[in-house]
Amino acid sequence: MKSKTSQIKLIFTLILTLLAVVFVVLNTNNVAINFGLFKLKLPLIIILVLMIIIGVLIGYFWGSYGHNQDKNN
């Protein structure tokens, strides 16, 4: 049963990854980001990739934190 759940998670992850890649590739224009004290002008593709990486890291650490809490109980 665990194998079936992991397969569903893998398929869901692959679909989300494919959608993210398509979205990133379609948005390559330059955009200005205002940080208050200064402005940065970067291609949107770089910003999107950075935000996706940050989101994955947050999800990984949040998930591993919950997993570690389950092990301790």
Side-chain angles (χ1 to χ4, degrees):
M1 194 60 110
K2 188 174 183 178
S3 168
K4 180 108 172 154
T5 305
S6 63
Q7 286 178 348
I8 291 172
K9 284 182 180 180
L10 177 64
I11 291 170
F12 184 68
T13 303
L14 289 174
I15 290 171
L16 282 178
T17 303
L18 179 65
L19 287 172
V21 168
V22 168
F23 184 74
V24 165
V25 170
L26 291 174
N27 291 288
T28 57
N29 297 336
N30 284 341
V31 293
I33 302 175
N34 188 352
F35 287 102
L37 299 174
F38 60 93
K39 282 186 181 181
L40 260 168
K41 194 165 189 178
L42 294 170
L44 186 56
I45 191 169
I46 293 173
I47 297 165
L48 290 172
V49 169
L50 286 174
M51 292 301 108
I52 290 170
I53 290 171
I54 290 170
V56 167
L57 289 174
I58 289 171
Y60 173 76
F61 287 120
W62 191 355
S64 65
Y65 175 75
H67 184 69
N68 289 338
Q69 292 295 325
D70 290 342
K71 277 185 179 179
N72 292 335
N73 291 331

